Every structure is written in structure tokens, then in C-alpha cells.
Amino acid sequence: MTATGLVVIDKEAGWTSHDVVARCRRLFGQRRVGHAGTLDPDATGVLLVGLGRATRLMRFLTALPKTYVAEIVLGTATSTLDASGEVVGEWDMSAVTPAEVQAAAAKLTGSIEQTPPMVSAVKVGGRRLHELARQGIEVDRPVRRVSVYRFDVEPVPARPGVYRAEVVCSSGTYIRVLAEDIGTALGGGGHVGSLRRTRIGSFGESDMRPLDLVTTDAILTPAQAMRDLSFVTVEPEIADLIGRGLALDRVPIGAVGDGPWAMLDQRGNLLAVYEATGTDRIKPAVVVTGT
């Protein structure tokens, strides 16, 4: 039987997110595999991988807040904004104090604008930026507005100019750009020395498994995969309407808040995810049952 659900991978350095997906296709013997939230090849940590019908739910996981732990290295800028790139600038930033770094981080907290780096997976004109960068091509990139909910920095003992950062942010935030921006704000440059994603929504390090230890018992159900959404458990007659992909009146079924809502049957199985419409009706975004 084809596996359906979610696995929480602890991605190791050197693997692309696509590599992990390809490995999971072989592990679980199916083509229908996708992930929520790309991690850079050198980054480690939480990567959410959907299997079977659960791949259609990945966009709800991609939208969840993310937590990263990074090392920010001041005084050196690189071509990739991380340790894998070539050095493109050096500054003496030994006089910079921890208080100044913390003040710079505070100014990068809240709703901010970022320009995706050329080494990112963002598409411009149908081409991924990192593909263009490998050809030596640089293009204009649209500025994005992202949210940095928390940006804590502290110096790393016995490593001058190196700071440990913990960042909680919205989807689409580039930690390497934050490192560059801090360096620039302090009169020099900076890059990310190491990066680990420790959490996506409620999925943290305690949920993860290294890829070589992932087996079928690691698969979370579609309902468990949607545990960060509001749950609504419905009666059988409503479940039938959901299976037919019909809109519903939110009040009778108890859909409280702004959504989206994970719609469950009486046994706790995920039937669908519904979204608000701006009225008292809610509509199906993804119907899982019967597909």
C-alpha cells in the first residue's frame, strides 16, 4: 500500500532538499513525494517531507514560522553569503561591540524587506536564481516583505567576530541576507558560517530522524501533519459533503477563528483542509478523502 503522511527529516550537510526527496522516493517506493521549505545544501535540520496524498498539504506547512540557529561571521563577505562561497570583501571589525551587533539585529526585527540572494531557489523569468548564478549571470530580483519575530545574537566565546544567532521568522526569510545586512549596517560585511533549522511550526528536533534511520514507523498521519491548524471534527453527514468538495457554513460546524481548518471525521482521520472566503462560508482548499 502506498504510504501517505509526513516524515520529519534531520537533513545533514551536503544534501540538497531535492536529494532528500529523491531518497525518500526510493525508501518508500513511490514517486509522489514533496517537501515543505527548502534548506540550503550546507544547512542542516528540520525538513518536512510529504508522502502520497499528503504532498498536497505541504503548502500549509511551508507557511508556518521557522526557527534557525546560525553563526554569523563579521568582517568577511562571500559570493554566496555563507561559508561555501569565495571571499569578496574583508574588513577589520574588531572594534564592533556585542551591544552594537544586538542593536543591528533589533533593527532587522519585525516586518522588513529582503532581496533574495542570487544563490537562492527563487525563480525569475522561469529560471532559478542559483542556476543563473552558476553561469555568472546576475539579474534584478523583486524585493520581498518578510517577518522576523525574534533575532537574538550573542558572541561566541574565544571566536572574535563570530556571533551565535537564533532567528524566528516567516517563510521566505533568508538568514544569510540577515547576516549580510548586519555586517553592512556595522560598516563592513558578514556571512553565515553555519546554519541549522531547529523548528517549523510545532515540528522540532525531538520529531526528527536522520535520513538513514527513517522507516515506515516514522510516518505521521495526514491529521498529525496538520497539527498546527485548527481542528474541526464533523458528523458523518458533513463528512459526506466534504468528500464531495462542497463549501460549508462555518458556524454550525464550529469553525472558529480565521483558518485554515483541518476537517476530521469521527475517527480522527483528516478529510480536508478548508479556508475562509470572507463570508460565513468556508471552502475546501485540499480534499484528502477519496483521492
Coordinates of all heavy atoms in Angstrom, one line a residue, residues 128-216:
R128 N 15.7 29.4 -12.1 CA 16.1 29.6 -10.7 C 17.3 30.4 -10.6 O 18.2 30.3 -11.4 CB 16.3 28.2 -10.1 CG 15.0 27.4 -10.0 CD 15.1 26.2 -9.0 NE 13.9 25.4 -9.0 CZ 12.8 25.7 -8.3 NH1 12.8 26.8 -7.6 NH2 11.7 24.9 -8.4
L129 N 17.3 31.3 -9.6 CA 18.4 32.2 -9.4 C 19.8 31.5 -9.3 O 20.8 31.9 -9.9 CB 18.2 33.1 -8.2 CG 17.1 34.1 -8.4 CD1 16.9 34.9 -7.1 CD2 17.4 35.1 -9.5
H130 N 19.8 30.4 -8.6 CA 21.1 29.7 -8.4 C 21.6 29.1 -9.7 O 22.9 29.0 -9.9 CB 21.0 28.6 -7.3 CG 20.1 27.5 -7.6 ND1 20.3 26.5 -8.5 CD2 18.9 27.2 -7.0 CE1 19.4 25.6 -8.5 NE2 18.5 26.0 -7.6
E131 N 20.7 28.8 -10.6 CA 21.2 28.3 -11.9 C 21.8 29.4 -12.7 O 22.8 29.2 -13.4 CB 20.0 27.7 -12.7 CG 19.4 26.5 -12.1 CD 18.1 26.0 -12.8 OE1 17.6 26.8 -13.7 OE2 17.6 24.9 -12.5
L132 N 21.2 30.6 -12.7 CA 21.8 31.8 -13.3 C 23.1 32.2 -12.7 O 24.1 32.5 -13.4 CB 20.8 32.9 -13.2 CG 19.5 32.8 -14.0 CD1 18.5 33.9 -13.6 CD2 19.7 32.7 -15.5
A133 N 23.2 32.1 -11.4 CA 24.4 32.4 -10.7 C 25.6 31.6 -11.1 O 26.7 32.0 -11.2 CB 24.2 32.4 -9.2
R134 N 25.3 30.3 -11.3 CA 26.4 29.3 -11.7 C 26.9 29.7 -13.1 O 28.0 29.4 -13.5 CB 25.9 27.9 -11.7 CG 25.8 27.3 -10.3 CD 25.7 25.8 -10.4 NE 24.5 25.3 -11.0 CZ 23.4 25.0 -10.3 NH1 23.4 25.2 -9.0 NH2 22.3 24.6 -10.9
Q135 N 26.1 30.4 -13.9 CA 26.5 30.8 -15.2 C 27.1 32.3 -15.2 O 27.5 32.8 -16.2 CB 25.3 30.8 -16.2 CG 24.7 29.5 -16.4 CD 23.4 29.5 -17.2 OE1 23.2 30.4 -18.0 NE2 22.5 28.6 -16.9
G136 N 27.3 32.8 -14.0 CA 27.8 34.1 -13.9 C 26.9 35.2 -14.2 O 27.3 36.4 -14.5
I137 N 25.6 34.9 -14.2 CA 24.5 35.9 -14.6 C 23.9 36.4 -13.3 O 23.5 35.7 -12.5 CB 23.5 35.3 -15.5 CG1 24.1 34.7 -16.8 CG2 22.4 36.3 -15.8 CD1 23.2 33.9 -17.6
E138 N 23.8 37.8 -13.2 CA 23.1 38.4 -12.1 C 21.9 39.2 -12.7 O 22.1 39.9 -13.7 CB 24.0 39.3 -11.3 CG 23.3 39.9 -10.1 CD 24.2 40.5 -9.1 OE1 25.5 40.3 -9.2 OE2 23.7 41.2 -8.1
V139 N 20.7 39.0 -12.1 CA 19.5 39.7 -12.6 C 18.9 40.5 -11.4 O 19.2 40.2 -10.2 CB 18.5 38.7 -13.1 CG1 19.1 38.0 -14.4 CG2 18.1 37.7 -12.1
D140 N 18.0 41.4 -11.8 CA 17.3 42.1 -10.7 C 16.3 41.2 -10.1 O 15.6 40.3 -10.8 CB 16.5 43.3 -11.4 CG 17.4 44.4 -11.8 OD1 18.5 44.5 -11.2 OD2 17.1 45.1 -12.8
R141 N 16.2 41.3 -8.8 CA 15.2 40.4 -8.0 C 14.2 41.3 -7.3 O 14.6 42.3 -6.8 CB 16.0 39.5 -7.0 CG 16.8 38.4 -7.6 CD 18.2 38.8 -7.7 NE 18.9 38.9 -6.5 CZ 20.1 39.6 -6.4 NH1 20.7 40.2 -7.4 NH2 20.7 39.6 -5.2
P142 N 13.0 40.8 -7.3 CA 11.9 41.6 -6.6 C 12.2 41.6 -5.1 O 12.5 40.5 -4.5 CB 10.6 40.9 -7.0 CG 11.0 39.5 -7.4 CD 12.4 39.6 -8.0
V143 N 12.0 42.7 -4.5 CA 12.1 42.8 -3.0 C 10.9 42.1 -2.4 O 9.8 42.3 -2.9 CB 12.2 44.3 -2.6 CG1 12.2 44.4 -1.1 CG2 13.5 44.9 -3.1
R144 N 11.1 41.4 -1.3 CA 10.1 40.7 -0.6 C 9.9 41.3 0.8 O 10.9 41.7 1.4 CB 10.4 39.2 -0.5 CG 10.4 38.4 -1.8 CD 10.7 37.0 -1.5 NE 10.4 36.1 -2.7 CZ 10.4 34.8 -2.6 NH1 10.8 34.2 -1.5 NH2 10.1 34.1 -3.7
R145 N 8.7 41.3 1.3 CA 8.5 41.7 2.7 C 8.4 40.4 3.5 O 7.6 39.5 3.2 CB 7.3 42.5 2.8 CG 7.1 43.0 4.3 CD 6.2 44.3 4.3 NE 6.9 45.4 3.8 CZ 7.7 46.2 4.5 NH1 8.0 45.9 5.7 NH2 8.3 47.2 3.9
V146 N 9.2 40.3 4.5 CA 9.2 39.1 5.4 C 9.0 39.6 6.9 O 9.2 40.8 7.1 CB 10.4 38.2 5.2 CG1 10.5 37.7 3.8 CG2 11.7 39.1 5.6
S147 N 8.8 38.6 7.7 CA 8.7 39.0 9.2 C 9.7 38.2 10.0 O 9.9 37.0 9.9 CB 7.3 38.6 9.7 OG 6.3 39.4 9.0
V148 N 10.5 39.0 10.8 CA 11.4 38.4 11.7 C 10.8 38.6 13.1 O 10.8 39.8 13.6 CB 12.8 39.1 11.6 CG1 13.8 38.5 12.6 CG2 13.4 38.9 10.2
Y149 N 10.4 37.6 13.7 CA 9.7 37.7 15.0 C 10.6 37.8 16.2 O 10.4 38.5 17.2 CB 8.8 36.5 15.2 CG 7.8 36.2 14.1 CD1 7.9 35.0 13.3 CD2 6.9 37.1 13.7 CE1 7.1 34.8 12.2 CE2 6.0 36.9 12.6 CZ 6.1 35.7 11.9 OH 5.3 35.5 10.8
R150 N 11.8 37.2 16.0 CA 12.8 37.2 17.1 C 14.2 37.1 16.4 O 14.4 36.2 15.6 CB 12.6 36.2 18.2 CG 13.6 36.2 19.3 CD 13.0 35.5 20.5 NE 12.7 34.1 20.3 CZ 13.6 33.1 20.3 NH1 14.9 33.3 20.6 NH2 13.3 31.8 20.1
F151 N 15.2 37.9 16.9 CA 16.5 37.8 16.3 C 17.5 38.1 17.5 O 17.8 39.2 17.8 CB 16.7 38.9 15.2 CG 17.9 38.8 14.4 CD1 18.1 39.6 13.3 CD2 18.9 37.8 14.7 CE1 19.2 39.5 12.5 CE2 20.0 37.7 13.9 CZ 20.2 38.6 12.8
D152 N 17.9 37.0 18.1 CA 18.8 37.1 19.3 C 20.2 36.8 18.8 O 20.4 35.8 18.1 CB 18.4 36.1 20.4 CG 17.0 36.4 20.9 OD1 16.6 37.6 20.9 OD2 16.3 35.4 21.4
V153 N 21.2 37.6 19.3 CA 22.6 37.3 18.9 C 23.4 37.5 20.2 O 23.1 38.3 21.1 CB 23.1 38.3 17.9 CG1 22.5 38.0 16.5 CG2 22.8 39.8 18.3
E154 N 24.4 36.6 20.3 CA 25.4 36.7 21.4 C 26.8 36.3 20.9 O 26.9 35.4 20.0 CB 25.0 35.8 22.5 CG 24.8 34.4 22.2 CD 24.2 33.6 23.4 OE1 23.6 34.1 24.3 OE2 24.5 32.3 23.4
P155 N 27.8 36.9 21.4 CA 29.2 36.5 20.9 C 29.5 35.1 21.2 O 29.1 34.5 22.3 CB 30.1 37.5 21.6 CG 29.3 37.9 22.8 CD 27.9 37.9 22.4
V156 N 30.3 34.4 20.4 CA 30.8 33.1 20.6 C 32.1 33.2 21.3 O 33.0 33.8 20.8 CB 31.0 32.3 19.3 CG1 31.6 30.9 19.6 CG2 29.6 32.1 18.6
P157 N 32.2 32.6 22.5 CA 33.5 32.8 23.3 C 34.7 32.3 22.5 O 34.7 31.3 21.8 CB 33.2 31.9 24.5 CG 31.7 31.8 24.7 CD 31.2 31.8 23.3
A158 N 35.8 33.0 22.7 CA 37.1 32.7 22.1 C 37.1 32.7 20.5 O 38.0 32.2 19.9 CB 37.6 31.4 22.6
R159 N 36.0 33.3 19.9 CA 36.0 33.4 18.5 C 35.6 34.8 18.1 O 34.4 35.1 17.9 CB 35.0 32.4 17.9 CG 35.4 30.9 18.1 CD 34.4 30.0 17.5 NE 34.4 30.1 16.1 CZ 33.4 29.5 15.3 NH1 32.5 28.8 15.9 NH2 33.5 29.6 14.0
P160 N 36.6 35.8 18.1 CA 36.3 37.2 17.8 C 35.6 37.4 16.5 O 35.9 36.8 15.5 CB 37.7 37.8 17.8 CG 38.5 36.9 18.6 CD 38.0 35.5 18.3
G161 N 34.5 38.2 16.5 CA 33.8 38.5 15.3 C 32.7 37.5 14.9 O 32.0 37.6 13.9
V162 N 32.6 36.4 15.7 CA 31.6 35.3 15.4 C 30.5 35.4 16.5 O 30.7 35.5 17.7 CB 32.2 33.9 15.4 CG1 31.2 32.9 15.1 CG2 33.4 33.9 14.4
Y163 N 29.2 35.4 16.0 CA 28.1 35.5 16.9 C 27.1 34.4 16.6 O 26.9 34.0 15.5 CB 27.3 36.8 16.6 CG 28.1 38.0 17.2 CD1 29.2 38.5 16.5 CD2 27.7 38.6 18.4 CE1 29.9 39.6 17.1 CE2 28.4 39.6 18.9 CZ 29.5 40.1 18.3 OH 30.2 41.2 18.8
R164 N 26.6 33.8 17.7 CA 25.5 32.8 17.6 C 24.2 33.6 17.5 O 23.9 34.4 18.4 CB 25.5 31.9 18.8 CG 24.4 30.8 18.7 CD 24.4 30.0 20.0 NE 23.4 28.9 20.0 CZ 22.1 29.0 20.2 NH1 21.6 30.2 20.5 NH2 21.4 27.9 20.1
A165 N 23.4 33.2 16.5 CA 22.1 33.9 16.3 C 21.0 32.8 16.4 O 21.2 31.7 15.8 CB 22.1 34.6 15.0
E166 N 19.9 33.2 17.0 CA 18.7 32.4 16.9 C 17.6 33.3 16.3 O 17.3 34.4 16.8 CB 18.2 31.9 18.3 CG 17.0 31.0 18.2 CD 16.7 30.2 19.4 OE1 17.3 30.5 20.5 OE2 16.0 29.2 19.4
V167 N 17.0 32.8 15.2 CA 16.0 33.6 14.5 C 14.7 32.9 14.4 O 14.7 31.7 14.0 CB 16.6 34.0 13.1 CG1 15.6 34.8 12.3 CG2 17.9 34.7 13.1
V168 N 13.6 33.5 14.7 CA 12.3 33.0 14.5 C 11.7 33.9 13.4 O 11.6 35.1 13.6 CB 11.4 33.0 15.7 CG1 10.1 32.4 15.4 CG2 12.1 32.2 16.8
C169 N 11.2 33.4 12.3 CA 10.9 34.2 11.2 C 9.8 33.6 10.3 O 9.4 32.4 10.5 CB 12.1 34.5 10.3 SG 12.9 33.0 9.7
S170 N 9.3 34.4 9.4 CA 8.2 33.9 8.5 C 8.9 33.1 7.4 O 10.1 33.1 7.1 CB 7.4 35.0 7.9 OG 8.3 35.8 7.1
S171 N 8.0 32.3 6.7 CA 8.5 31.6 5.5 C 9.1 32.6 4.5 O 8.6 33.8 4.3 CB 7.3 30.9 4.8 OG 7.7 30.2 3.7
G172 N 10.1 32.3 3.8 CA 10.7 33.1 2.8 C 11.8 34.0 3.3 O 12.4 34.8 2.5
T173 N 12.1 34.0 4.6 CA 13.2 34.8 5.1 C 14.6 34.1 4.9 O 14.7 32.9 5.1 CB 13.0 35.0 6.6 OG1 11.7 35.5 6.9 CG2 14.0 35.9 7.2
Y174 N 15.5 34.9 4.4 CA 16.9 34.4 4.2 C 17.8 34.8 5.3 O 18.1 36.0 5.5 CB 17.4 34.9 2.9 CG 16.7 34.3 1.7 CD1 15.7 34.9 1.1 CD2 17.1 33.0 1.2 CE1 15.0 34.3 0.0 CE2 16.4 32.4 0.1 CZ 15.4 33.1 -0.5 OH 14.7 32.5 -1.5
I175 N 18.3 33.8 6.1 CA 19.2 34.1 7.2 C 20.5 34.6 6.7 O 21.1 35.5 7.3 CB 19.4 32.8 8.1 CG1 18.0 32.2 8.4 CG2 20.2 33.1 9.3 CD1 17.1 33.1 9.2
R176 N 21.0 34.2 5.6 CA 22.2 34.7 5.0 C 22.2 36.1 4.7 O 23.1 36.9 4.8 CB 22.7 33.8 3.8 CG 21.8 33.9 2.7 CD 22.4 33.1 1.5 NE 22.1 31.7 1.6 CZ 22.7 30.8 0.7 NH1 23.5 31.2 -0.2 NH2 22.4 29.5 0.9
V177 N 21.0 36.6 4.3 CA 20.8 38.0 4.0 C 20.8 38.8 5.3 O 21.3 39.9 5.3 CB 19.5 38.2 3.2 CG1 19.2 39.7 3.0 CG2 19.6 37.6 1.8
L178 N 20.2 38.3 6.3 CA 20.3 38.9 7.6 C 21.7 39.1 8.1 O 22.1 40.2 8.6 CB 19.5 38.2 8.7 CG 18.0 38.1 8.5 CD1 17.4 37.2 9.6 CD2 17.3 39.4 8.6
A179 N 22.5 38.1 7.9 CA 24.0 38.2 8.2 C 24.7 39.3 7.4 O 25.5 40.0 8.0 CB 24.6 36.8 8.0
E180 N 24.4 39.3 6.1 CA 25.0 40.3 5.3 C 24.5 41.7 5.7 O 25.3 42.6 5.8 CB 24.6 40.1 3.8 CG 25.1 41.1 2.9 CD 24.6 41.0 1.5 OE1 23.3 40.8 1.4 OE2 25.3 41.1 0.5
D181 N 23.2 41.9 6.0 CA 22.7 43.2 6.4 C 23.3 43.7 7.7 O 23.5 44.9 7.9 CB 21.2 43.1 6.5 CG 20.5 43.0 5.1 OD1 21.2 43.2 4.1 OD2 19.3 42.6 5.1
I182 N 23.5 42.8 8.7 CA 24.1 43.2 9.9 C 25.5 43.7 9.7 O 26.0 44.7 10.2 CB 24.1 42.0 11.0 CG1 22.8 41.9 11.7 CG2 25.2 42.2 12.0 CD1 22.7 41.0 12.8
G183 N 26.3 42.9 8.9 CA 27.7 43.4 8.6 C 27.7 44.7 7.9 O 28.5 45.6 8.2
T184 N 26.8 44.9 6.9 CA 26.7 46.2 6.2 C 26.4 47.3 7.2 O 26.9 48.4 7.1 CB 25.7 46.1 5.1 OG1 26.1 45.1 4.2 CG2 25.7 47.4 4.3
A185 N 25.4 47.1 8.0 CA 24.9 48.1 9.0 C 26.0 48.5 9.9 O 26.0 49.7 10.4 CB 23.7 47.6 9.7
L186 N 27.0 47.6 10.2 CA 28.0 47.9 11.1 C 29.3 48.4 10.4 O 30.4 48.5 11.0 CB 28.3 46.7 12.0 CG 27.2 46.3 12.9 CD1 27.4 44.9 13.6 CD2 26.9 47.4 14.0
G187 N 29.2 48.7 9.1 CA 30.3 49.3 8.4 C 31.3 48.4 7.8 O 32.4 48.7 7.4
G188 N 30.8 47.1 7.6 CA 31.7 46.1 6.9 C 30.9 45.1 6.2 O 30.1 45.5 5.3
G189 N 31.1 43.9 6.5 CA 30.4 42.8 5.8 C 30.2 41.6 6.8 O 30.8 41.6 7.9
G190 N 29.5 40.6 6.3 CA 29.3 39.4 7.1 C 28.7 38.3 6.3 O 28.2 38.5 5.2
H191 N 28.8 37.1 6.8 CA 28.2 35.9 6.2 C 27.8 34.9 7.2 O 28.2 35.0 8.4 CB 29.2 35.3 5.2 CG 30.4 34.7 5.8 ND1 31.5 35.3 6.1 CD2 30.6 33.3 6.1 CE1 32.4 34.5 6.6 NE2 31.9 33.3 6.6
V192 N 27.1 33.9 6.8 CA 26.7 32.8 7.7 C 27.7 31.7 7.6 O 28.1 31.2 6.6 CB 25.3 32.2 7.2 CG1 25.0 30.9 7.9 CG2 24.2 33.2 7.5
G193 N 28.2 31.4 8.8 CA 29.2 30.4 8.9 C 28.6 29.0 9.0 O 29.2 28.0 8.4
S194 N 27.5 28.9 9.7 CA 26.8 27.6 9.8 C 25.3 27.9 10.0 O 25.0 29.0 10.5 CB 27.3 26.7 10.9 OG 27.1 27.3 12.2
L195 N 24.4 27.0 9.6 CA 23.0 27.2 9.7 C 22.3 25.9 10.0 O 22.5 24.9 9.3 CB 22.5 27.8 8.4 CG 21.0 28.2 8.4 CD1 20.6 29.3 9.4 CD2 20.6 28.6 6.9
R196 N 21.4 26.0 11.0 CA 20.6 24.8 11.3 C 19.2 25.3 11.6 O 18.9 26.2 12.4 CB 21.1 24.1 12.5 CG 20.3 22.8 12.9 CD 21.0 22.0 14.0 NE 20.3 20.8 14.4 CZ 20.2 19.7 13.7 NH1 20.8 19.6 12.6 NH2 19.5 18.7 14.2
R197 N 18.2 24.6 10.9 CA 16.8 24.9 11.2 C 16.4 23.9 12.3 O 16.4 22.7 12.1 CB 16.0 24.7 9.9 CG 14.5 25.1 10.1 CD 13.8 25.4 8.8 NE 13.7 24.3 7.9 CZ 13.5 24.3 6.6 NH1 13.4 25.5 6.0 NH2 13.4 23.2 5.9
T198 N 15.9 24.5 13.4 CA 15.5 23.7 14.5 C 14.0 23.5 14.7 O 13.6 22.6 15.4 CB 16.1 24.3 15.8 OG1 15.5 25.7 15.9 CG2 17.6 24.4 15.8
R199 N 13.2 24.2 13.9 CA 11.8 24.1 14.1 C 11.1 24.7 12.9 O 11.5 25.7 12.3 CB 11.3 24.8 15.4 CG 9.9 24.7 15.7 CD 9.6 25.2 17.1 NE 10.2 24.3 18.1 CZ 9.6 23.2 18.6 NH1 8.4 22.9 18.2 NH2 10.2 22.5 19.5
I200 N 10.0 24.0 12.5 CA 9.0 24.5 11.6 C 7.6 24.4 12.3 O 7.2 23.2 12.5 CB 8.9 23.8 10.2 CG1 10.3 24.0 9.5 CG2 7.8 24.3 9.4 CD1 10.3 23.2 8.1
G201 N 7.0 25.5 12.7 CA 5.8 25.4 13.4 C 6.1 24.6 14.7 O 7.0 24.9 15.5
S202 N 5.3 23.6 15.0 CA 5.5 22.7 16.2 C 6.4 21.6 16.0 O 6.7 20.8 16.9 CB 4.1 22.2 16.7 OG 3.6 21.3 15.7
F203 N 6.9 21.4 14.7 CA 7.8 20.3 14.4 C 9.2 20.7 14.7 O 9.8 21.6 14.1 CB 7.7 19.9 13.0 CG 6.3 19.4 12.6 CD1 5.4 20.3 12.1 CD2 5.9 18.1 12.8 CE1 4.1 19.9 11.7 CE2 4.6 17.7 12.5 CZ 3.7 18.6 12.0
G204 N 9.8 20.1 15.8 CA 11.2 20.4 16.2 C 12.1 19.3 16.2 O 11.9 18.2 15.6
E205 N 13.2 19.5 16.9 CA 14.3 18.5 16.8 C 13.9 17.2 17.4 O 14.4 16.1 17.1 CB 15.6 19.1 17.5 CG 16.2 20.2 16.7 CD 17.5 20.7 17.3 OE1 17.4 21.2 18.4 OE2 18.5 20.6 16.6
S206 N 13.0 17.2 18.4 CA 12.5 15.9 19.0 C 11.7 15.1 18.0 O 11.6 13.9 18.3 CB 11.7 16.2 20.3 OG 10.5 16.9 19.9
D207 N 11.2 15.7 17.0 CA 10.4 14.9 16.0 C 11.3 14.3 14.9 O 10.9 13.5 14.1 CB 9.4 15.8 15.3 CG 8.4 16.4 16.3 OD1 7.7 15.6 16.9 OD2 8.4 17.6 16.5
M208 N 12.5 14.8 14.7 CA 13.4 14.5 13.6 C 14.0 13.1 13.7 O 14.3 12.6 14.7 CB 14.5 15.6 13.4 CG 14.0 16.9 13.1 SD 15.4 18.0 12.7 CE 16.3 18.0 14.2
R209 N 14.3 12.6 12.5 CA 15.2 11.4 12.3 C 16.2 11.7 11.2 O 15.8 12.2 10.2 CB 14.4 10.2 12.0 CG 13.5 9.6 13.1 CD 13.1 8.2 12.8 NE 12.1 7.8 13.7 CZ 11.6 6.5 13.7 NH1 12.1 5.7 12.8 NH2 10.6 6.2 14.5
P210 N 17.4 11.2 11.4 CA 18.4 11.3 10.3 C 17.8 10.4 9.1 O 17.1 9.4 9.4 CB 19.7 10.7 10.8 CG 19.5 10.8 12.3 CD 18.1 10.7 12.6
L211 N 18.1 10.8 7.9 CA 17.6 10.1 6.8 C 17.9 8.6 6.8 O 17.0 7.8 6.4 CB 18.1 10.7 5.5 CG 17.4 10.3 4.2 CD1 15.9 10.6 4.2 CD2 18.0 11.1 3.0
D212 N 19.0 8.2 7.2 CA 19.4 6.8 7.2 C 18.7 6.0 8.3 O 18.8 4.7 8.3 CB 20.9 6.6 7.3 CG 21.5 7.2 8.5 OD1 20.8 7.8 9.4 OD2 22.8 7.1 8.7
L213 N 17.9 6.6 9.2 CA 17.2 5.9 10.2 C 15.7 6.0 10.0 O 14.9 5.6 10.8 CB 17.5 6.5 11.6 CG 19.0 6.3 12.1 CD1 19.1 6.9 13.5 CD2 19.4 4.8 12.1
V214 N 15.3 6.6 8.9 CA 13.8 6.7 8.6 C 13.3 5.4 8.0 O 13.8 4.9 7.1 CB 13.6 7.9 7.5 CG1 12.2 7.9 7.1 CG2 14.0 9.2 8.2
T215 N 12.2 5.0 8.7 CA 11.5 3.8 8.3 C 10.0 4.1 8.3 O 9.6 5.2 8.6 CB 11.7 2.6 9.2 OG1 11.4 3.0 10.6 CG2 13.2 2.2 9.1
T216 N 9.1 3.2 7.9 CA 7.7 3.4 7.9 C 7.1 3.8 9.2 O 6.1 4.5 9.2 CB 6.9 2.2 7.3 OG1 7.3 1.0 8.1 CG2 7.3 1.9 5.9

